[in-house]
Each structure stands twice: as C-alpha cells, then as structure tokens.
Amino acid sequence: MSNRLAKTLSPYLRAHAENPVDWYPWGSEAFAEAQRRDVPLLISIGYSTCHWCHVMARESFSSPEIAGLINRDFVAVKVDREEHPEVDGAYMAAASAFTQNLGWPLTVFATPQGRTFYAGTYWPPEARAPLPAFRDVLGAVQEAWTLRREKAVESADAVAEALAQTAVVTPSDIPSTLGLAAAAEMIASREDAMFGGYGGAPKFPVATTLGFLQHPLVRREAPDAAASAARALAAMAASDLRDSVDGGFFRYATQRDWTVPHYERMLTDNAQLLNIAVRAGDDTTARGIARFLLGVLRQDGGAFGAAQDSESWIDGQRSEGGYYLAASREELEPPAVDGKVITGWNGLAIGALAQAGAALDERPWVDAAAEAASFVLSVNRSPEGRLVRASLEGVASTAVATLADVGLFADGLFALAVATGDARWAVVARELLDEVLSKGADGDPVLAAQGVAAAPDQTDGDLPSGVAALASAALTAWRLGAGEKYRAGAEEQVRAYTASAVQHPFGHGSLLAAAAGLVEPPRQVVVVTHDRTGALARASHRVDADVIAIVTPAQARAFSDAGFELFSGKDAVADLVYDCRAFVCRLPTGDASAVVRSRELLS
C-alpha cells in the first residue's frame, strides 16, 4: 500500500500517514483512480487540532478491519479543511442535504466524479444510539452503490442542482442606518441574560458578531445591543473559556455558563478577540491574548501557526484538556501546535497585533506583526509569485489562496502600514487587493476540473467570510485615500449579500460591519510627529476613529506619493494632529488636550 500522506504539507494528513487506510491526498489522482475502479469516493475532512477527528482516527481509521472495508469498496481521500477551505465548503454545503449535525470530521460519500450522494460527521466503530456503526454505514453505502446506483446518482445530481441554484444571488441596496440597528437588535435578542453571550450550549466566542456590535453606528443607534457585546467579552474573559495562565481563549464552551471548554485554541479566534478586547478597553484581556499569540502560536521565522491541539500526552495517554487542569503544568508537555502558516489567518494576527501594539504602546507587538508579514510575503507564494493558502516549515503549499486569504492579509498589511508609518506595507496591500478586485480569487482547480461547484463564501464561520474580508480591505484602502474605486468595490461585495445578511444577521456580522462602514462617515486621525511616544501620539492612540496614523513628515510624504490622499499636504510641519471626517479635516492642532476622544462630539 502506498503511503501518500507522509510528505504532504499538512500535519493533519501526516498524522494519518501510518493508517492502514490507503489514503490519497486531495487531488486529481484520487478521482482518476475512483473512475478507473468505478467505486465511490470516501472523502474524510478534518484538521489537526480537531478532537473528534482524533477519536475517529484512533477508533476506525487505525482499525485493519475497517480499513479493509474502505480499501475494498472506496477510494479514500483525506482533506485538511484548513489547507483546502473551498473543498470543505463545497462538501459541507452538500452534506447539509443529509444531516443537520454538521461539523468535523466530515465524512462524504461521492460519485467518482465528486458529487455527494451521502454524508455525515463522526461515526463510532460500534453502534452507539443514535449513531450507527461506521462499518455498517460503509456496508450500506456500498450496497446502495452496487444495487441502487441510479438512485444514488440521481440524489447526487439533485443536491448539485440545488446548490447551484442557491449560489445565484440578487444584489440589493445597502442597509440603512435603521436596518443595521434592527439587525444588531435581532442579534442581541439572543443574549443569554444570565451568563452572557448568545444562545445556549455549546457557546462560541462569535468574534465576527461582536465586531459588528462594537461598530460606532451600532453604539449610537442600538446602544443596548452594543452593550451586550461588552457583557459577552467580560463573561468570556472571566470564565473557563480563557486560560488564566497564558491568556489564550479556547474554541468554545460545551456548557451555557462557559464551563467545560473544548480545549483547542485557534489563531482565528484569538486574533479577532484581541481586536475586540482593545476596542472594549479591556487591556488586561488584550495583553493576555497577545501573550498567547507570541508565546504559543508564533513559529520559527515569525509567522503564526494555525492552532493548538485540544489533546496532549499525560502519563502515556492522550488527554483532552488535562494539561490545563493539571496543578503543575510546567512539568507536562504542552499540546502540540499545528505549525501551518495560513495566509489569511496570519493577516488577522498581523492586523490585530499592529493595532493593539500601537494602541497600548507595545512596539514589540508591532515588530512581531511586521516579521510575520515579511514571512508570509516571502514564503507563502507560488512559483509565479501569487499568494498561496499556506506553508509548513518554510515550504509553500500548492493550495490556492482564497478570497478571504487575500482580503484578510491585505487588511492586516494596511493596519501594519498605519502602525509603523511605513507606506510600503500599504502599497503591497493595495496591489494584492487590485488583483483580486479585477480578476477574483483563484478557485480550487480540482473542484473546477470535476465540475463540483464551490459554495459561495458569504457567511461567517470562525472568521469573516471571503466577501466580507474583501469588502473590509477595500474600505480600509478607501479610508486611507486610495480612491473611490475601493469604496465602490466594497459596496459591490456587500450589496451581493445584503438581503441574507439582514434576514440572518448572526451569520453575517462581518458583512454587516462592512455595510455599517459604508453608511457611517469615517473618522481619520493623522498625527504628524517625530516623537511616536510623545503627548500628541499618546492622546491620539485611543481616540474613536477608523484610522489612527502616527507618521513623521517624511512618512506622510511617502504615503501621499504612493497615492494615499489622506496624507496629502500633511508633511510640511511636525507636531500637528489632523482630525478628519470623511476626508474633511478640522484645523490641525498641536495641543494634546484638544484631541477629541469621542467621534460623536465631531458630528
């Protein structure tokens, strides 16, 4: 049996390399083999820090008996959802036709052409009500393919057709101020008044939703809804969801009161919660998250790994969460970190550390953000120079960068440019943005070759959707004065999914935040000074503004020369603060006490 997973660039796939299952990595070879043998594909999708993925691997994929059934009747494909999010999205959408209990591991049975005719998540090796045994599922699927293939193919075609219809969108108007306030209030109606957060168990941080509720428009028009976000952050920060030792947040709590966490820790959650904490003025929580990012997830070379596992080895046994519950952690080996450097996720961390470092006067955080940006730009590239999805140990994956990757990374570079005063980061961000706005992002080539439609990335999961990420980056470019075409680009993205966002706001927080950015005139503060730690800079660090840039006269000139008009004409005199509303600036002041903290006072 060929061991095809050992040399892949995925820790998740490498962990399955010694299984008796004859795994193929995602690629055209698996489809060709399924078509040659005329057998279905078994597509197993997960990620390296997924607890139930580990469980199914130990129980079933390590079993010679079950592996024999798989190898006999299927072509088995192992997919890292973090490396191939489009593949995960396409098959997750198809799986929704067969089960309401979506999650990972995702187990999909597809025709040799890749169309789904049955799917589920975790199945145990022996039946445990209400779950059937995995071996019985394999037998039933093989029987259906052998004896009732016409119905299986008909089902697969019906699912594909239904998904194609749902992918058709009808643009609508940007929500009004009242519409956005109503969406915020709809979200807040789900608040758990006793324990904070939204809904019941399991309970997630929902950082994209919190970000929308923190928007200035929501704070002004729906203050009670905005207050629910502050209560949610305070509840999470004081709960078992946050590790009190290093300050990092776990993936979610299994109980309504934020207890019994699921112990994996994601770069996506923590980077976004760092932003949330800084905006909320919770410096203690922000410093804890930064400590976790820099002390745990940071990899050699300066970029950030994808996640920390939920399990670790204790006394020779795999334990979920035991490391965090132990009285003396320093004597134990910590849970492993998935060292995959994912482009968009690093963009979130770069932006969060740059903004938090500037706001809290932690220059090492800004320096760390710059080091991560340099790593991604130098390593996460194809031979043709295009961004790719990820890298591992300094080697770039062949998986293409998604829309979210480009949007999140570009936005992170814009934040880094503002935090450092170095216009070169903004120039690179604009180049990346221009390419995707004009050409779109590359789709997964294997999905395209098989004619399997990718699901539109327009709802938030554990990070902003691709559509929202691109809209946010375009808005940032516009706020920096790159031109009206970027505002138009953001509006085009938002208008495509406005209707569903207003109807289902909880799944569209990041898109609604972009919509609010289109409705609310931006506030931009530019401090021109040679002293980044002086009184003017300190007074401006925490003002309520969309852009806070502290630059020397020479840096202001560099931004202006690069085409960022916000900085035009601000390079002549140092030690002045320019306070602008939608590019119209008040008379500059050199008096730190005259710097207005609240944006409402400028209206």
Side-chain angles (χ1 to χ4, degrees):
M1 183 171 62
S2 174
N3 186 335
R4 304 178 188 87
L5 304 187
K7 294 184 179 180
T8 62
L9 294 180
S10 163
Y12 176 61
L13 268 61
R14 289 181 180 182
H16 290 78
E18 300 302 324
N19 290 165
V21 177
D22 189 18
W23 293 114
Y24 284 77
W26 177 255
S28 58
E29 185 184 0
F31 287 90
E33 179 65 7
Q35 290 162 23
R36 184 189 70 80
R37 290 177 53 197
D38 193 30
V39 296
L41 293 152
L42 187 162
I43 303 172
S44 175
I45 303 175
Y47 56 106
S48 70
T49 59
C50 164
H51 171 66
W52 287 104
C53 300
H54 295 324
V55 173
M56 195 165 181
R58 288 193 292 265
E59 292 179 340
S60 294
F61 298 140
S62 297
S63 162
E65 178 199 351
I66 292 177
L69 298 176
I70 294 172
N71 296 340
R72 184 189 70 190
D73 298 328
F74 304 91
V75 169
V77 182
K78 181 60 74 173
V79 180
D80 184 338
R81 69 172 292 259
E82 294 174 348
E83 186 177 17
H84 295 283
E86 273 199 318
V87 176
D88 177 54
Y91 285 112
M92 186 66 74
S96 67
F98 302 96
T99 178
Q100 296 298 310
N101 299 315
L102 296 172
W104 300 277
L106 180 63
T107 309
V108 175
F109 297 95
T111 69
Q113 291 71 38
R115 293 194 166 194
T116 303
F117 64 90
Y118 189 60
T121 52
Y122 163 80
W123 282 300
E126 306 295 340
R128 298 176 202 155
L131 297 175
F134 185 42
R135 58 170 55 85
D136 293 338
V137 172
L138 294 171
V141 171
Q142 193 275 336
E143 180 182 293
W145 182 255
T146 303
L147 302 179
R148 297 180 296 279
R149 181 180 302 197
E150 185 175 327
K151 288 187 176 181
V153 172
E154 183 179 317
S155 174
D157 290 344
V159 170
E161 183 179 348
L163 292 175
Q165 291 175 354
T166 61
V168 177
V169 297
T170 303
S172 56
D173 292 337
I174 300 294
S176 66
T177 297
L178 290 178
L180 290 164
E185 288 163 353
M186 191 184 304
I187 292 170
S189 69
R190 297 177 58 178
E191 183 183 14
D192 182 339
M194 182 174 292
F195 296 111
Y198 307 92
K203 195 174 280 185
F204 288 79
V206 292
T208 54
T209 300
L210 299 182
F212 168 55
L213 295 178
Q214 286 184 321
H215 194 278
L217 183 150
V218 176
R219 295 202 314 264
R220 185 182 68 248
E221 302 294 336
D224 291 341
S228 75
R231 290 190 289 269
L233 177 65
M236 289 188 292
S239 76
D240 293 348
L241 192 71
R242 177 174 175 262
D243 179 43
S244 60
V245 176
D246 62 28
F249 280 82
F250 299 111
R251 184 70 191 94
Y252 63 88
T254 62
Q255 304 301 308
R256 178 187 161 199
D257 62 355
W258 297 107
T259 58
V260 194
H262 181 52
Y263 286 97
E264 65 181 314
R265 297 197 286 182
M266 311 298 293
L267 176 60
T268 49
D269 293 327
N270 283 278
Q272 292 176 94
L273 287 170
L274 176 54
N275 271 333
I276 300 296
V278 170
R279 292 190 202 117
D282 185 349
D283 295 357
T284 299
T285 297
R287 291 182 184 280
I289 297 171
R291 187 167 66 249
F292 167 70
L293 293 176
L294 296 172
V296 177
L297 292 188
R298 197 179 190 197
Q299 301 294 293
D300 291 342
F304 296 91
Q308 186 176 30
D309 208 328
S310 62
E311 297 184 359
S312 62
W313 290 101
I314 298 180
D315 296 330
Q317 300 292 323
R318 294 293 284 173
S319 169
E320 187 193 8
Y323 173 81
Y324 302 103
L325 301 174
S328 54
R329 276 166 52 168
E330 63 274 6
E331 298 176 3
L332 299 174
E333 181 182 350
V337 170
D338 181 337
K340 272 198 322 297
V341 175
I342 298 176
T343 297
W345 298 15
N346 271 259
L348 283 172
I350 290 162
L353 285 167
Q355 291 172 331
L360 300 182
D361 196 23
E362 290 283 355
R363 298 310 299 178
W365 299 1
V366 180
D367 294 341
E371 191 173 356
S374 294
F375 182 96
V376 172
L377 286 171
S378 63
V379 175
N380 286 28
R381 298 273 198 175
S382 71
E384 297 75 32
R386 298 189 63 131
L387 283 179
V388 298
R389 168 69 175 171
S391 64
L392 182 69
E393 298 169 355
V395 180
S397 167
T398 57
V400 297
T402 64
L403 195 67
D405 284 321
V406 179
L408 295 173
F409 186 57
D411 224 1
L413 293 179
F414 281 132
L416 183 59
V418 170
T420 59
D422 189 342
R424 291 174 295 180
W425 297 115
V427 171
V428 173
R430 186 178 57 195
E431 290 172 352
L432 295 172
L433 195 56
D434 284 345
E435 184 170 1
V436 77
L437 284 173
S438 62
K439 299 179 182 177
D442 294 330
D444 183 88
V446 179
L447 284 178
Q450 297 303 134
V452 178
D457 182 14
Q458 51 89 15
T459 56
D460 296 335
D462 52 359
L463 76 168
S465 68
V467 170
L470 185 59
S472 177
L475 268 177
T476 303
W478 171 64
R479 288 167 178 158
L480 292 174
E484 287 297 315
K485 77 171 186 179
Y486 295 98
R487 190 186 191 284
E491 186 171 338
E492 180 182 0
Q493 298 298 317
V494 172
R495 287 183 68 246
Y497 295 100
T498 285
S500 57
V502 170
Q503 292 174 11
H504 308 287
F506 205 81
H508 293 84
S510 56
L511 192 78
L512 290 168
L518 291 165
V519 172
E520 183 82 355
R523 183 186 183 189
Q524 304 126 311
V525 175
V526 179
V527 184
V528 183
T529 180
H530 291 285
D531 186 359
R532 301 189 68 89
T533 62
L536 284 178
R538 290 198 307 273
S540 302
H541 269 315
R542 298 292 282 268
V543 299
D544 185 8
D546 302 289
V547 174
I548 304 170
I550 300 171
V551 293
T552 66
Q555 289 173 332
R557 190 177 311 116
F559 270 101
S560 178
D561 290 346
F564 296 97
E565 292 298 319
L566 174 63
F567 299 86
S568 181
K570 296 179 175 66
D571 61 335
V573 181
D575 298 321
L576 289 176
V577 177
Y578 296 83
D579 199 341
C580 314
R581 185 79 165 189
F583 302 97
V584 178
C585 303
R586 305 169 75 199
L587 288 174
T589 179
D591 181 1
S593 65
V595 176
V596 179
R597 193 174 184 85
S598 170
R599 77 170 65 208
E600 276 70 29
L601 297 177
L602 299 173
S603 301

